[in-house]
Amino acid sequence: MEGRGGGAGAGAPYSPRTVDEVFRDFKGRRAGMIKALSTDVEDFYEQCDPEKENLCLYGFPNEEWEVNLPAEEVPPELPEPALGINFARDGMQEKDFLSLVAVHSDAWLLSVAFYFGARFGFDKADRKRLFTMMNDLPTIFEVVTGSAKKQSKEKSSVTTNQSINRPKSSSKGRGSDSSKHSKVMPKDEDEGMDEEEDDDHSDTLCGACGENYASDEFWICCDICEKWFHGKCVKITPARAEHIKHYKCPSCSNKRVRP
């Protein structure tokens, strides 16, 4: 990939110049790094070999990620991510290692976005708008640790107490296997219940990409960590889900006992 932290993958160097362009750049890099620390975690873990040189985790605007050496030029084209993440891999529990990388990844995303802001002369109003847009999304750390889901649960419980006596089959998909694998309820069965279902899940976030729940998308819940995922993010179709009794997400499936 060209330019590592600055490139958009193969092709010419990429330089967003407006607030909306910088925000799209931020979302793309963020999605790539979330992917590395969740759905692609096994591959990411293996690439962080402590026997290698100082390695960094890069996210790209096209939602891809890469573990690589830092740029050789000084100063680099863009701010560099945390250096030497691979050295800590075997010195702590896997979840602690991933959380640590997530925190540094969040800091890097902010630094890249505001580097663009400074480079292209964003004024106070533009910087505030950019930060507000970024701050409306959960951090990589919140997505990786599941705290974003906990926060949305707490928020949801405050606004949906009146729905506490609803049938179990419509409460977070825990009532049956069929409801567990999909949050989409056929509208012709109960239009009112469908609207209530949408409200109940509006703050739920995908454990892979971190985006919000949408009523027209297929979702599946992991029976181990209880995180929800877009079917497309974990490559599970509604037809395939019907034959899965206990679903384990890629992260839980790849967990190994660490010394």
Short mmCIF file of all heavy atoms in Angstrom, two decimals, residues 10 15 20 24 27 58 88 110 139 150 183 186 207 222 224 247 251 258:
data_model
loop_
_atom_site.label_atom_id
_atom_site.label_comp_id
_atom_site.label_asym_id
_atom_site.label_seq_id
_atom_site.Cartn_x
_atom_site.Cartn_y
_atom_site.Cartn_z
N ALA A 10 -3.76 1.16 -3.20
CA ALA A 10 -3.05 1.37 -4.46
C ALA A 10 -3.60 2.61 -5.15
O ALA A 10 -4.78 2.89 -5.14
CB ALA A 10 -3.25 0.15 -5.35
N SER A 15 -5.56 13.22 -0.29
CA SER A 15 -5.51 14.37 0.61
C SER A 15 -6.89 15.01 0.71
O SER A 15 -7.27 15.83 -0.12
CB SER A 15 -4.50 15.41 0.11
OG SER A 15 -3.20 14.90 0.16
N ASP A 20 -16.11 17.41 5.49
CA ASP A 20 -16.79 16.15 5.15
C ASP A 20 -15.82 15.11 4.58
O ASP A 20 -15.94 13.92 4.87
CB ASP A 20 -17.92 16.41 4.15
CG ASP A 20 -19.07 17.18 4.79
OD1 ASP A 20 -19.37 16.92 5.96
OD2 ASP A 20 -19.66 18.04 4.10
N ARG A 24 -14.93 11.47 6.22
CA ARG A 24 -15.00 10.20 5.48
C ARG A 24 -13.67 9.46 5.59
O ARG A 24 -13.64 8.23 5.73
CB ARG A 24 -15.35 10.47 4.01
CG ARG A 24 -16.81 10.78 3.77
CD ARG A 24 -17.18 10.63 2.30
NE ARG A 24 -16.48 11.58 1.47
CZ ARG A 24 -16.92 12.80 1.19
NH1 ARG A 24 -18.07 13.21 1.70
NH2 ARG A 24 -16.24 13.60 0.38
N LYS A 27 -13.61 7.91 9.05
CA LYS A 27 -14.49 6.73 9.16
C LYS A 27 -13.89 5.52 8.46
O LYS A 27 -13.99 4.40 8.96
CB LYS A 27 -15.86 7.05 8.55
CG LYS A 27 -16.75 7.93 9.41
CD LYS A 27 -18.12 8.10 8.78
CE LYS A 27 -18.89 6.80 8.76
NZ LYS A 27 -20.26 6.98 8.20
N TYR A 58 -1.82 0.40 10.80
CA TYR A 58 -2.32 1.49 9.96
C TYR A 58 -3.75 1.18 9.52
O TYR A 58 -4.08 0.04 9.19
CB TYR A 58 -1.46 1.65 8.70
CG TYR A 58 -0.06 2.12 8.97
CD1 TYR A 58 0.97 1.21 9.17
CD2 TYR A 58 0.24 3.47 9.01
CE1 TYR A 58 2.27 1.62 9.42
CE2 TYR A 58 1.54 3.91 9.25
CZ TYR A 58 2.55 2.98 9.45
OH TYR A 58 3.84 3.41 9.70
N ALA A 88 4.53 -5.85 22.82
CA ALA A 88 3.69 -6.10 24.00
C ALA A 88 2.80 -7.31 23.83
O ALA A 88 2.14 -7.73 24.79
CB ALA A 88 2.82 -4.87 24.28
N LEU A 110 -7.40 10.67 15.64
CA LEU A 110 -7.59 12.09 15.96
C LEU A 110 -6.45 12.93 15.41
O LEU A 110 -6.66 14.01 14.84
CB LEU A 110 -7.71 12.29 17.47
CG LEU A 110 -9.03 11.85 18.12
CD1 LEU A 110 -8.90 11.87 19.63
CD2 LEU A 110 -10.16 12.76 17.67
N THR A 139 -15.62 5.19 20.11
CA THR A 139 -14.20 5.01 19.85
C THR A 139 -13.90 3.56 19.51
O THR A 139 -14.72 2.67 19.77
CB THR A 139 -13.37 5.41 21.07
OG1 THR A 139 -13.69 4.51 22.16
CG2 THR A 139 -13.64 6.84 21.50
N LYS A 150 -22.59 -1.50 26.10
CA LYS A 150 -23.11 -1.32 27.45
C LYS A 150 -23.73 0.06 27.61
O LYS A 150 -24.77 0.22 28.23
CB LYS A 150 -21.97 -1.51 28.47
CG LYS A 150 -21.44 -2.92 28.55
CD LYS A 150 -20.26 -3.01 29.51
CE LYS A 150 -19.66 -4.43 29.52
NZ LYS A 150 -18.46 -4.50 30.38
N LYS A 183 -32.80 -9.17 13.63
CA LYS A 183 -33.58 -8.17 14.33
C LYS A 183 -34.73 -7.67 13.48
O LYS A 183 -35.49 -6.83 13.92
CB LYS A 183 -32.69 -6.98 14.70
CG LYS A 183 -31.67 -7.30 15.76
CD LYS A 183 -30.98 -6.03 16.19
CE LYS A 183 -30.01 -6.31 17.30
NZ LYS A 183 -29.42 -5.11 17.84
N PRO A 186 -41.02 -9.14 10.30
CA PRO A 186 -41.90 -8.88 9.16
C PRO A 186 -42.95 -7.84 9.50
O PRO A 186 -43.67 -7.98 10.47
CB PRO A 186 -42.54 -10.25 8.89
CG PRO A 186 -41.58 -11.23 9.46
CD PRO A 186 -40.99 -10.56 10.66
N GLY A 207 -20.50 -5.09 16.37
CA GLY A 207 -19.22 -5.39 17.01
C GLY A 207 -18.06 -5.40 16.04
O GLY A 207 -16.90 -5.41 16.45
N CYS A 222 -23.65 -12.97 18.89
CA CYS A 222 -22.72 -13.99 19.36
C CYS A 222 -23.19 -14.53 20.71
O CYS A 222 -23.48 -13.75 21.63
CB CYS A 222 -21.31 -13.40 19.48
SG CYS A 222 -20.11 -14.55 20.21
N ILE A 224 -21.43 -16.06 22.84
CA ILE A 224 -20.34 -16.02 23.82
C ILE A 224 -20.20 -14.61 24.41
O ILE A 224 -20.36 -14.41 25.61
CB ILE A 224 -19.00 -16.45 23.20
CG1 ILE A 224 -19.16 -17.84 22.55
CG2 ILE A 224 -17.91 -16.47 24.27
CD1 ILE A 224 -19.59 -18.94 23.48
N TYR A 247 -24.12 -19.43 17.80
CA TYR A 247 -23.19 -18.67 16.95
C TYR A 247 -22.04 -18.08 17.77
O TYR A 247 -22.24 -17.51 18.84
CB TYR A 247 -23.92 -17.53 16.23
CG TYR A 247 -22.98 -16.65 15.46
CD1 TYR A 247 -22.31 -17.11 14.32
CD2 TYR A 247 -22.72 -15.34 15.88
CE1 TYR A 247 -21.42 -16.32 13.63
CE2 TYR A 247 -21.84 -14.53 15.18
CZ TYR A 247 -21.19 -15.03 14.07
OH TYR A 247 -20.30 -14.23 13.39
N SER A 251 -14.06 -13.22 16.60
CA SER A 251 -13.16 -12.93 17.72
C SER A 251 -13.21 -14.04 18.76
O SER A 251 -12.17 -14.51 19.24
CB SER A 251 -13.53 -11.59 18.36
OG SER A 251 -12.67 -11.30 19.43
N ARG A 258 -3.75 -17.93 26.43
CA ARG A 258 -2.41 -17.35 26.39
C ARG A 258 -1.64 -17.66 27.68
O ARG A 258 -2.22 -17.72 28.76
CB ARG A 258 -2.50 -15.83 26.26
CG ARG A 258 -3.30 -15.38 25.03
CD ARG A 258 -2.57 -15.77 23.77
NE ARG A 258 -3.35 -15.45 22.59
CZ ARG A 258 -3.13 -15.93 21.40
NH1 ARG A 258 -2.14 -16.78 21.20
NH2 ARG A 258 -3.88 -15.60 20.39
#
